[in-house]
C-alpha cells in the first residue's frame, strides 16, 4: 500500500479544522447546559409561586386571649364649645296664657277671619316688657316677618329650638350670639296676625316636631 504524504500546509489546515470542530462542539454543549439550567429555574419558580398562592397561611390559635385592655390612645375629639342647656326651662314673659297650642286642630282667627292651626302658645304681657330666653342656647336667626313681626330663633340644645314672635324691632341679641336662661333677648312688640292685645307668641320644636310649649315651661 502506498502511503499518502501530507504536506506541512495540509497538516496545519487539518489541525485548524479539528480545532474549529472541537470549539463548536464545546460551545454547543455549554449552550445546551445553560438552556437546561434556565428551564429548570423557571419551572422551580413557577412551582413555588403556585404553592405560595394556593396554600393558606397557618394561623396559630391563641390560648387564653387577653381582654379588657385599657385604651391609652389620646382622644382626638374636641370638647364642645356650645352652651350646655339646663335641665329646666323658664317662662319667656311674666303673664298668663292667652291662647293655647292647638296641636294641629283648626281654630278661628278673628283677624284673618279664617280657620288655621295655632302652632304656639300666646302669653299675655305689656308692650315693652322684657322677653327672656327660656334656656341656655345660641341665637340662630333674627328677622322681620309680615305676619309675626320681629322674630328671634334660638337653638336651646338637646334638639330643642324656640321661635319668639312679636318682639319690638330693636332686639338685644344677634344671630350667632350665645344666651343664658332668663337673659333678655328683646321686648314685647306687636304681632300683625294677632293684634288683639299685646302678647308673646312662642313656638317650640323638639327634634324638629312642634310640641306644646306649656309642657316644658315652668
Amino acid at each position: 500500500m502506498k502511503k499518502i504524504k501530507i504536506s506541512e500546509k495540509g497538516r496545519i489546515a487539518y489541525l485548524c479544522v479539528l480545532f474549529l470542530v472541537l470549539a463548536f462542539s464545546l460551545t454547543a454543549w455549554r449552550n445546551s447546559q445553560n438552556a437546561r439550567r434556565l428551564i429548570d429555574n423557571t419551572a422551580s419558580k413557577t412551582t413555588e409561586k403556585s404553592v405560595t398562592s394556593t396554600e393558606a397561611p397557618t394561623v396559630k390559635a391563641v390560648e387564653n386571649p387577653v381582654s379588657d385592655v385599657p385604651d391609652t390612645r389620646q382622644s382626638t375629639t374636641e370638647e364642645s364649645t356650645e352652651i350646655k342647656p339646663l335641665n329646666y326651662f323658664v317662662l319667656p314673659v311674666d303673664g298668663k296664657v292667652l291662647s293655647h297650642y292647638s296641636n294641629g286642630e283648626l281654630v278661628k282667627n278673628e283677624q284673618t277671619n279664617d280657620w288655621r292651626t295655632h302652632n304656639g302658645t300666646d302669653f299675655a304681657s305689656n308692650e315693652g316688657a322684657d322677653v327672656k330666653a327660656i334656656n341656655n342656647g345660641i341665637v340662630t336667626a333674627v328677622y322681620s316677618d309680615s305676619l309675626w313681626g320681629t322674630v328671634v330663633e334660638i337653638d336651646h340644645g338637646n334638639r330643642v329650638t324656640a321661635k319668639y314672635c312679636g318682639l319690638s324691632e330693636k332686639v338685644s341679641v344677634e344671630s350667632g350670639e350665645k344666651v343664658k336662661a332668663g337673659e333678655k333677648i328683646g321686648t314685647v312688640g306687636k304681632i300683625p296676625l294677632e293684634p288683639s292685645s299685646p302678647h308673646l307668641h312662642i313656638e317650640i320644636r323638639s327634634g324638629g316636631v312642634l310640641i306644646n310649649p306649656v309642657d316644658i315651661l315652668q
Side-chain angles (χ1 to χ4, degrees), residues 76-116:
T76 58
T77 303
E78 297 181 358
E79 293 185 2
S80 174
T81 57
E82 307 293 336
I83 293 180
K84 295 182 179 179
L86 303 177
N87 58 4
Y88 63 88
F89 294 81
V90 299
L91 288 172
V93 293
D94 298 325
K96 64 180 181 179
V97 174
L98 187 65
S99 180
H100 286 277
Y101 169 70
S102 70
N103 194 26
E105 295 183 6
L106 297 177
V107 293
K108 182 68 175 294
N109 185 293
E110 300 298 336
Q111 178 66 22
T112 59
N113 196 31
D114 62 3
W115 292 80
R116 61 180 62 199

Side-chain angles (χ1 to χ4, degrees), residues 93-214:
V93 293
D94 298 325
K96 64 180 181 179
V97 174
L98 187 65
S99 180
H100 286 277
Y101 169 70
S102 70
N103 194 26
E105 295 183 6
L106 297 177
V107 293
K108 182 68 175 294
N109 185 293
E110 300 298 336
Q111 178 66 22
T112 59
N113 196 31
D114 62 3
W115 292 80
R116 61 180 62 199
T117 59
H118 192 247
N119 295 329
T121 298
D122 294 342
F123 288 92
S125 184
N126 296 322
E127 189 170 346
D130 290 347
V131 177
K132 298 167 288 187
I134 61 174
N135 205 327
N136 298 339
I138 297 178
V139 179
T140 56
V142 178
Y143 57 92
S144 179
D145 187 272
S146 59
L147 296 179
W148 297 104
T150 301
V151 178
V152 173
E153 296 185 7
I154 300 179
D155 181 355
H156 290 293
N158 290 337
R159 305 183 68 192
V160 174
T161 59
K163 181 187 293 186
Y164 304 76
C165 304
L167 280 68
S168 59
E169 293 183 3
K170 188 176 182 180
V171 297
S172 305
V173 294
E174 58 184 17
S175 182
E177 184 176 344
K178 297 178 181 180
V179 295
K180 295 182 179 180
E183 181 179 341
K184 178 182 176 180
I185 63 173
T187 57
V188 175
K190 295 181 179 180
I191 300 179
L193 184 62
E194 301 172 346
S196 56
S197 60
H199 66 277
L200 173 75
H201 175 95
I202 183 170
E203 297 178 7
I204 298 178
R205 284 177 167 80
S206 178
V209 179
L210 283 166
I211 62 174
N212 188 353
V214 176

